[in-house]
Amino acid sequence: MAYLEMSGITKEFPGVRALDNVDFDLQIGEIHALVGENGAGKSTLVKVLAGAISKDAGEIRINGQHASISSPKDAIRYGIITVQQHFSLQSNMTVAENILFGSYPKRRRFIDWKSLYDKAESFLAGIGFDDINVKSTIAQLGVAEAQKVEIAKALYRKPRILIMDEPSAVLPKNDLKKLYLILDRIKKETGIIYISHHFEEIFAISDRITVLKDGKKVKTVLPSEVDEEGLVKLMVGRELGDMYPAKKQPAGEEVVLSVKELTTGKLNKITFRLKKGEILGIAGLIGAGRTELCEALFGLVPLTHGEIMVNGEKIENTSPRRAIQNGFGFVTEDRHKTGLILPMAMRNNLTLAGYKKVCRCSFIDTKKDIAAANEYVEKLKISTPSIEQLVEFLSGGNQQKVVLAKWLFSEAKILLFDEPTRGIDVATKTEIYRLMRKLTMDGVSIIMISSELPEIIGMSDRILVMKDGCITGELFPDETSEEEILSYAAGLKAANQG
Amino acid sequence: MTLQYAASGEKNRWKAITSFILKYDKYLMLLLFGVVSALITDKFFTLENTTNLLKQNAALGIVALGQLLVILTGGIDLSVGAIASLSGIIAATLLKNGMGWPLASLFAVVTGAVAGVLNGMIVTVGGITPFIVTLANMTIFQGIGLLLSKGRQVFFDCPEFLFFGQDYLFSIPVMAWIWFAISLLVLVFLGRTVMGRIIRGIGGNKEAVRLAGINTVLYESLAYIISGVLCGIAGVLMTSRLTLGSNIIGQGWELIAIASVMVGGGNFTGGIGTVGGTFVGVIILGLIGNIMNLLGISIYWQQIIRGLIILLAVFSSSRKKITA
């Protein structure tokens, strides 16, 4: 009998049945992957288990006994610990304080700081995350480090059931390997629920895979029983066909963007050209300066040296406003933080950057506004109940389409994509890829940052690899491999760029 | 099984009812208070009482509209009462010294605008939390008012000026007409202009607005400036109504204005709130006072009950956010 049994779990939100009679079980000693498209109910299911949201129906049994979990506190009492998708850390506290949160060592009633730091340090060393300074505050850390602290915090609580909601989304590869090692070690006494969009790791680490779709359980399978395609079919309910669209035409010869010796605080003499209708992939590790490059092009970071030419004319993007006037658009890494106004209607988000096209003497021409929204809903196949829907209630993929529509509406000719498909399910991913390819055929040129190497190779016409603020290699997708890209990214190989 | 279905049907009905209540909570509240007032006293629906209600709340209602704009940007303006008082004192002092009423009123409103510019610039350019900025400026504006008036009431003699605060048009107070007109203007401003949309957007996600190539400093400041101007207008109206300038005409307004926006469905997270809701919020809070006065409830109890009703209203809108 399984250690954890969830049966008939049902949860309804207004207008949508997020979970419909879902059964799920977990044994001590296994990693049980939970997969499905966005909105399939994965997060909702683990949130029910963690007591973060209440279920409408169903039963949870732990160790054969009925378990009533109605708050996070109840869940923790059962040893159910979650590694959050969005961080649960106190950003102004130190790493040590966060890891040991709630169980600080004391000496004569006062917190014993020395032993607090020592304990945290040795714990981190024990799990292999020894590159983190326990005395720095979370605010000083990058996303990847913060995610590691989040994981350490969960492990410190010695979970019986560990829930990991997309921990790999922001972790670089070497840290992921460490994470897998840790999971393998704690598995003996723990059951692990692992949510992920990455097939590679799902097949690498999981013992069983449960597929959810539209709030229903499709099937539980062993990784040996299916391959990637089979899994996608289960998730999507149909065959997807090719993930990446064909690279139909060789990019033209017309150079739209030419960057010469671009230098900022983090970038060092970046020089490259972007041709009309080309998708230029930018690969590199976290911290290589890829995002910084986009920010510099978009006028968010001042240049200390160098020049930018668009269609042969020298331009100065000193602010996002100037960049937009010069035909740039920036699909940022985090659509919630920097891409969308969540509590605002889709229609209003869409015309935000190009509002001048829908207004007359600073009054909004509602008719034009609505027409524009309808046009792009049609064009990009954004699925929304209405153009007045608040974007916070759209799925991740549709939100990303709204961001994209915003820049298309502002008539961007050079689109900067920073991780265009992060947190987006497989079916929508292919749609976004097709859309990007279609845009290039309409004459849009794209610079695409991505940490997913298959995506870089599958989508780019040409690849630049960055390391420490420099371009270390220029590669062509037909002639390169993931290994080669990585070796440039890690600095094992370097080419003189012409 | 049938039993289970019946139960779930029952549940759905309850859900429908609660969602209906949540959707129209403030209007239902208004209706409830209207009916209660009509039942407990025959004086309530008299023309006199209704016009009184409008007159008592018009100035505050105008201030609340400014507050709404600031709250939409994700900020807060604690200095509204102080600005209104200061503007009133300026108007009264100028009138006392023989200036004509149009110019004196204009100066008072300009004072409000200047105060708003100060608030806005310190918040946006200085990058300091609105709460602190407007709290500090509140005491500064109060101090300036006290300095100008030497802490006393300022009397003046200008019968034409009293038109704003005391006269009626079609048996409705002029003050109320001005309130309606400004409400309509702000409604159009928020719903139909780019500026209004940007102000709402800043509260929803400032960074996204900035990345859309929009000067957020300008538009965020604009909300504080409009708030200042509206406070200036409110100060002029109150000075006309009371026939004197005083340092206490706007006392406590910041809290009632904020409460009105909240009762009307606004939210401190920014980007959420409506003109209609705020209008109703002002009326509801005014109505409560009115009912309690008619009932002869002691002023001490009034405070407690008003606080409870604010809590109830905000609780209702916070539930709405969760279930939406």
Side-chain angles (χ1 to χ4, degrees):
Chain A
M1 189 180 50
Y3 181 70
L4 165 76
E5 285 175 284
M6 299 173 82
S7 50
I9 307 291
T10 298
K11 173 72 193 177
E12 236 174 290
F13 292 115
V16 47
R17 186 165 273 208
L19 290 175
D20 190 355
N21 213 3
V22 171
D23 297 332
F24 182 82
D25 66 290
L26 179 73
Q27 270 145 11
I28 298 293
E30 75 165 341
I31 296 178
H32 194 151
L34 206 49
V35 301
E37 298 184 83
N38 284 356
K42 297 164 297 186
S43 289
T44 313
L45 183 67
V46 294
K47 275 183 187 157
V48 165
L49 179 60
I53 53 181
S54 61
K55 57 184 187 300
D56 294 339
E59 197 194 9
I60 301 175
R61 295 172 76 84
I62 290 177
N63 226 349
Q65 305 274 317
H66 171 83
S68 89
I69 297 174
S70 55
S71 71
K73 204 176 154 191
D74 293 338
I76 290 167
R77 230 182 30 235
Y78 283 108
I80 301 168
I81 307 285
T82 312
V83 175
Q84 307 275 0
Q85 197 173 358
H86 297 111
F87 304 129
S88 71
L89 302 172
Q90 306 282 330
S91 64
N92 291 319
M93 287 191 182
T94 61
V95 169
E97 283 172 280
N98 270 291
I99 293 177
L100 273 74
F101 192 79
S103 53
Y104 296 155
K106 294 202 180 104
R107 211 164 79 196
R108 280 188 253 120
R109 289 191 186 184
F110 293 103
I111 295 174
D112 181 354
W113 289 97
K114 192 178 172 310
S115 123
L116 172 70
Y117 290 130
D118 287 349
K119 274 192 173 179
E121 200 150 23
S122 63
F123 184 75
L124 280 174
I127 59 174
F129 290 163
D130 45 6
D131 53 341
I132 299 172
N133 179 1
V134 292
K135 287 184 186 170
S136 51
T137 62
I138 301 301
Q140 293 167 332
L141 302 180
V143 226
E145 274 85 26
Q147 178 75 71
K148 288 199 274 182
V149 175
E150 179 86 44
I151 292 169
K153 181 184 169 188
L155 294 179
Y156 188 80
R157 277 152 187 74
K158 300 221 173 352
R160 283 296 272 169
I161 295 173
L162 179 65
I163 300 167
M164 309 199 83
D165 196 349
E166 286 196 61
S168 53
V170 296
L171 284 185
K173 249 194 175 143
N174 52 336
D175 283 328
L176 271 179
K177 276 189 191 138
K178 285 182 193 164
L179 176 63
Y180 301 152
L181 284 178
I182 299 165
L183 293 184
D184 202 49
R185 208 171 63 208
I186 64 165
K187 212 162 95 167
K188 286 180 204 93
E189 291 165 359
T190 317
I192 300 164
I193 302 174
Y194 200 94
I195 297 181
S196 173
H197 280 301
H198 297 279
F199 293 133
E200 208 179 308
E201 71 173 358
I202 290 169
F203 282 105
I205 66 171
S206 57
D207 300 296
R208 279 196 294 166
I209 304 170
T210 289
V211 183
L212 295 181
K213 176 173 160 51
D214 301 332
K216 292 190 183 102
K217 174 172 155 179
V218 179
K219 210 175 181 186
T220 298
V221 293
L222 299 175
S224 54
E225 291 172 351
V226 288
D227 55 4
E228 268 187 37
E229 261 171 60
L231 200 56
V232 170
K233 209 171 150 189
L234 287 176
M235 285 167 60
V236 185
R238 61 185 164 84
E239 299 212 36
L240 265 185
D242 285 335
M243 185 83 179
Y244 303 102
K247 293 170 187 166
K248 278 205 178 123
Q249 53 181 38
E253 285 310 305
E254 193 183 332
V255 174
V256 282
L257 173 72
S258 149
V259 174
K260 216 178 272 171
E261 301 202 332
L262 189 90
T263 306
T264 70
K266 273 190 189 163
L267 299 175
N268 189 10
K269 294 193 176 167
I270 300 281
T271 301
F272 68 89
R273 288 166 161 202
L274 177 69
K275 287 176 215 149
K276 189 172 181 183
E278 182 181 36
I279 297 183
L280 180 62
I282 310 246
L285 302 176
I286 287 174
R290 298 171 302 168
T291 300
E292 176 103 353
L293 173 59
C294 283
E295 287 175 348
L297 290 174
F298 200 63
L300 289 163
V301 181
L303 308 186
T304 52
H305 178 73
E307 61 174 27
I308 304 173
M309 312 243 283
V310 171
N311 294 326
E313 271 176 64
K314 188 171 185 302
I315 55 147
E316 277 179 38
N317 286 348
T318 46
S319 67
R321 187 198 190 88
R322 293 286 292 276
I324 291 166
Q325 283 165 356
N326 289 324
F328 286 76
F330 187 12
V331 179
T332 52
E333 188 175 5
D334 187 333
R335 54 186 167 272
H336 286 190
K337 269 196 196 146
T338 52
L340 295 166
I341 300 166
L342 291 175
M344 209 183 230
M346 195 218 90
R347 156 165 84 91
N348 299 354
N349 266 284
L350 203 149
T351 49
L352 188 68
Y355 65 83
K356 288 203 175 101
K357 284 167 70 184
V358 290
C359 70
R360 203 181 297 147
C361 311
S362 91
F363 278 87
I364 293 165
D365 185 335
T366 313
K367 260 189 206 156
K368 275 192 192 166
D369 204 49
I370 291 173
N374 282 327
E375 184 191 334
Y376 280 89
V377 164
E378 179 98 348
K379 243 188 196 166
L380 307 194
K381 301 201 173 55
I382 301 172
S383 86
T384 168
S386 122
I387 55 170
E388 303 297 336
Q389 176 80 327
L390 303 186
V391 286
E392 64 185 307
F393 300 125
L394 296 180
S395 73
N398 283 306
Q399 287 179 342
Q400 189 72 330
K401 286 186 189 173
V402 174
V403 176
L404 189 50
K406 176 173 75 180
W407 295 119
L408 296 181
F409 184 69
S410 79
E411 295 177 358
K413 291 287 172 233
I414 300 171
L415 274 178
L416 315 172
F417 282 88
D418 194 352
E419 305 286 359
T421 59
R422 170 168 295 172
I424 289 177
D425 61 74
V426 146
T428 316
K429 252 186 192 177
T430 55
E431 243 184 285
I432 300 250
Y433 293 146
R434 262 161 247 282
L435 216 55
M436 288 169 75
R437 188 46 74 182
K438 187 168 167 290
L439 287 174
T440 62
M441 296 203 264
D442 298 342
V444 173
S445 311
I446 291 176
I447 294 178
M448 180 188 79
I449 296 178
S450 175
S451 296
E452 291 183 42
L453 293 176
E455 177 171 289
I456 283 274
I457 293 176
M459 283 303 294
S460 314
D461 295 311
R462 192 156 53 98
I463 302 164
L464 297 179
V465 189
M466 288 183 70
K467 181 184 186 297
D468 297 335
C470 300
I471 292 178
T472 52
E474 182 182 11
L475 302 165
F476 290 88
D478 311 340
E479 305 157 5
T480 189
S481 63
E482 293 190 24
E483 288 70 27
E484 192 182 16
I485 295 175
L486 268 180
S487 61
Y488 278 105
L492 303 175
K493 250 184 174 185
N496 285 327
Q497 209 214 331
Chain B
M1 276 316 263
T2 39
L3 215 138
Q4 202 181 336
Y5 278 123
S8 86
E10 185 91 330
K11 212 171 173 183
N12 283 341
R13 200 172 317 137
W14 271 114
K15 264 187 186 163
I17 292 172
T18 32
S19 74
F20 177 82
I21 292 177
L22 285 175
K23 191 167 177 192
Y24 298 104
D25 55 349
K26 41 191 180 280
Y27 303 99
L28 290 173
M29 209 178 210
L30 182 62
L31 191 72
L32 178 77
F33 285 125
V35 172
V36 168
S37 335
L39 286 179
I40 54 182
T41 155
D42 49 4
K43 276 178 269 174
F44 180 74
F45 274 121
T46 57
L47 186 66
E48 194 195 342
N49 191 40
T50 317
T51 53
N52 242 334
L53 183 68
L54 289 174
K55 210 169 170 180
Q56 276 162 4
N57 292 292
L60 181 74
I62 292 168
V63 168
L65 291 167
Q67 188 71 254
L68 169 69
L69 293 180
V70 173
I71 286 178
L72 279 177
T73 67
I76 190 169
D77 190 348
L78 294 176
S79 65
V80 289
I83 297 177
S85 301
L86 177 59
S87 302
I89 298 240
I90 298 263
T93 311
L94 292 175
L95 289 169
K96 185 178 154 190
N97 291 326
M99 187 182 275
W101 65 267
L103 215 52
S105 310
L106 182 69
F107 269 110
V109 175
V110 168
T111 305
V114 171
V117 170
L118 272 178
N119 279 335
M121 293 316 280
I122 301 175
V123 167
T124 55
V125 180
I128 304 173
T129 321
F131 189 96
I132 305 295
V133 172
T134 57
L135 182 68
N137 279 347
M138 172 174 98
T139 67
I140 291 173
F141 299 149
Q142 271 169 353
I144 297 173
L146 288 166
L147 266 180
L148 287 177
S149 65
K150 301 184 186 66
R152 290 188 221 111
Q153 295 173 329
V154 183
F155 297 93
F156 54 86
D157 183 31
C158 177
E160 298 90 344
F161 180 71
L162 304 184
F163 166 78
F164 294 126
Q166 311 215 330
D167 274 8
Y168 292 80
L169 268 179
F170 311 112
S171 22
I172 288 174
V174 173
M175 280 177 87
W177 283 116
I178 296 178
W179 179 22
F180 297 156
I182 292 179
S183 299
L184 205 64
L185 282 177
V186 177
L187 186 72
V188 172
F189 175 77
L190 274 178
R192 300 299 294 271
T193 70
V194 176
M195 288 179 282
R197 185 179 283 185
I198 291 173
I199 281 178
R200 191 183 283 276
I202 286 174
N205 188 344
K206 195 162 155 183
E207 192 57 17
V209 174
R210 191 171 79 93
L211 290 185
I214 291 159
N215 183 346
T216 52
V217 167
L218 179 70
Y219 292 100
E220 194 177 359
S221 304
L222 185 65
Y224 289 88
I225 297 169
I226 296 175
S227 175
V229 167
L230 295 184
C231 292
I233 294 173
V236 168
L237 295 184
M238 282 307 281
T239 305
S240 166
R241 183 177 158 212
L242 301 174
T243 67
L244 55 85
S246 154
N247 281 295
I248 57 165
I249 58 168
Q251 210 171 44
W253 274 9
E254 54 281 347
L255 297 185
I256 309 178
I258 293 165
S260 304
V261 175
M262 297 293 138
V263 168
N267 195 310
F268 278 131
T269 54
I272 300 167
T274 59
V275 172
T278 303
F279 190 91
V280 172
V282 171
I283 300 262
I284 287 177
L285 290 183
L287 203 54
I288 295 165
N290 190 279
I291 296 170
M292 291 191 293
N293 279 335
L294 290 174
L295 284 177
I297 292 175
S298 102
I299 203 154
Y300 309 127
W301 274 108
Q302 288 200 12
Q303 291 248 18
I304 296 171
I305 294 169
R306 194 174 283 128
L308 288 175
I309 286 172
I310 292 171
L311 277 180
L312 183 73
V314 174
F315 179 72
S316 159
S317 46
S318 73
R319 301 303 299 172
K320 199 180 320 191
K321 184 115 178 72
I322 292 167
T323 52

